[in-house]
């Protein structure tokens, strides 16, 4: 049995990057289908920074195109879809997906491995998930990096713990390129790039308050807390917004 993207799974292209119109519940059911089907799968949590990076990074663009699922992780994408007269129904963020996977793991026995982030952060994130979802199966954690010399030991750790799902927190595009390059060879059934999720879970970066999230103002929260990241935020909000808006006008003009 091979995994087939459901015929009714809608997706759209924003600046040549495919984004799938899925809700969190649908994402979980698609993951269940991928794991049941076997093979090596990859999910990308696409946000505006991904889209901008993919414009002149051919390998990254090809990697995103080859994913089994590309979930919308950013309010900017939902706006861009609307500008095109289309719809992305909801955001599916890396951190929300990670928490939901931990909950599903407790129910369904999915084995999860946390790879990446600074020393001790993945282990701390695992401890937080274990506490929130007591029966979740975190079978291993490893800090490591996407650099070549780190690969043998990472390979050992992953082969030893035989996870179903590896969550990779190297930041984009490194995490997504890593999954594409090594996932199948390591027998990883599903690799998901989750960015700074482990930092968030470990409490290193408090999340934006609920009202800011509701209004899509996470970028403002990040700017206030991490002004040194202004360039990334400018790219995600201003450069992406401008490029996606212009593309939408072109599409509408036909
Ligand atoms: N990271 C890592 N190895 C690297 C480079 C980055 O483990 O070689 C980690 C970093 O510690 C952080 C995550 O990758 O936990 C990426 O965070 P980023 O700020 O890019 O995430 P975002 O804010 O985009 O979710």
């Amino acid at each position: 049995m091979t995994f087939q993207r459901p015929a009714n799974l809608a997706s759209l292209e924003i600046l040549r990057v495919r984004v799938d119109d899925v809700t969190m519940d649908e994402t979980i059911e698609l993951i269940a289908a991928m794991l049941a089907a076997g093979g090596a799968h990859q999910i990308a949590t696409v946000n505006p920074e991904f889209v901008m990076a993919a414009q002149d990074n051919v390998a990254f663009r090809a990697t995103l195109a080859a994913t089994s699922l590309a979930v919308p992780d950013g309010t900017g994408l939902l706006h861009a879809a609307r500008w095109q007269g289309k719809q992305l129904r909801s955001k599916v963020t890396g951190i929300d997906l990670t928490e939901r996977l931990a909950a599903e793991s407790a129910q369904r026995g999915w084995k999860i491995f946390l790879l990446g982030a600074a020393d001790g952060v993945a282990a701390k994130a695992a401890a937080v998930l274990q506490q929130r979802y007591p029966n979740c199966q975190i079978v291993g954690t490893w800090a490591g990096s996407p650099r070549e010399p780190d690969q043998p030991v990472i390979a050992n750790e992953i082969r030893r713990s035989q996870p179903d799902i590896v969550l990779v927190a190297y930041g984009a595009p490194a995490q997504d390129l890593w999954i594409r390059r090594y996932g199948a060879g390591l027998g990883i059934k599903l690799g998901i790039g989750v960015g700074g999720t482990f930092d968030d879970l470990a409490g290193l970066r408090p999340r934006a308050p609920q009202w800011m999230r509701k209004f899509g103002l996470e970028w403002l929260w990040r700017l206030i807390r991490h002004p040194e990241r202004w360039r990334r935020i400018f790219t995600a909000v201003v450069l992406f917004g401008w490029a996606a808006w212009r593309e939408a006008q072109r599409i509408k003009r036909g």
Side-chain angles (χ1 to χ4, degrees):
M1 190 166 79
T2 54
F3 171 75
Q4 300 253 325
R5 286 167 55 86
N8 62 354
L9 174 55
S11 59
L12 60 110
E13 295 229 332
I14 301 173
L15 299 166
R16 295 181 293 168
V17 174
R18 189 193 89 242
V19 186
D20 296 318
D21 178 30
V22 280
T23 63
M24 181 63 80
D25 286 344
E26 290 165 1
T27 300
I28 294 300
E29 287 323 309
L30 288 167
I31 288 174
M34 288 173 207
L35 295 177
H41 296 280
Q42 176 163 5
I43 295 180
T45 52
V46 178
N47 67 27
E49 272 186 280
F50 281 50
V51 173
M52 295 313 281
Q55 297 309 299
D56 39 33
N57 183 336
V58 177
F60 188 35
R61 203 161 65 229
T63 295
L64 294 176
T67 55
S68 296
L69 197 64
V71 301
D73 178 356
T75 307
L77 302 181
L78 273 56
H79 292 310
R82 227 186 27 253
W83 295 335
Q84 290 186 16
K86 297 179 185 145
Q87 192 193 22
L88 290 169
R89 283 165 297 156
S90 72
K91 241 179 2 178
V92 178
T93 67
I95 183 159
D96 289 341
L97 181 56
T98 298
E99 291 229 23
R100 179 67 187 269
L101 284 172
E104 296 295 329
S105 160
Q107 301 290 324
R108 312 192 198 209
W110 291 344
K111 292 186 287 174
I112 301 175
F113 190 103
L114 308 187
L115 177 64
D119 261 344
V121 174
K124 178 82 198 296
V128 169
L129 291 173
Q130 296 278 7
Q131 195 204 359
R132 287 188 196 159
Y133 310 96
N135 293 321
C136 78
Q137 312 274 312
I138 310 280
V139 295
T141 66
W142 196 259
S145 87
R147 290 179 308 119
E148 194 60 46
D150 281 11
Q151 297 321 304
V153 57
I154 292 173
N156 258 342
E157 289 299 316
I158 290 181
R159 288 213 180 90
R160 199 164 53 83
S161 51
Q162 302 202 327
D164 298 305
I165 302 171
V166 178
L167 303 180
V168 187
Y170 290 147
Q175 59 194 19
D176 307 280
L177 297 173
W178 186 93
I179 295 167
R180 176 138 160 101
R181 176 153 181 214
Y182 296 107
L186 293 176
I188 296 172
K189 296 174 194 162
L190 172 60
I192 310 177
V194 294
T197 290
F198 304 164
D199 296 9
D200 295 339
L201 282 171
L204 301 181
R205 304 192 312 192
R207 283 187 90 177
Q210 191 67 44
W211 70 267
M212 276 190 159
R213 282 189 252 161
K214 187 166 162 228
F215 290 107
L217 292 175
E218 282 101 332
W219 64 270
L220 182 58
W221 175 253
R222 287 207 305 276
L223 186 60
I224 294 165
R225 295 201 56 100
H226 296 282
E228 75 285 358
R229 296 178 69 167
W230 70 270
R231 202 182 290 275
R232 286 182 57 175
I233 297 164
F234 182 78
T235 299
V237 178
V238 180
L239 298 184
F240 170 80
W242 175 239
W245 189 79
R246 275 196 330 187
E247 179 187 46
Q249 302 313 306
R250 277 198 302 275
I251 291 172
K252 279 190 182 151
R253 280 198 301 268

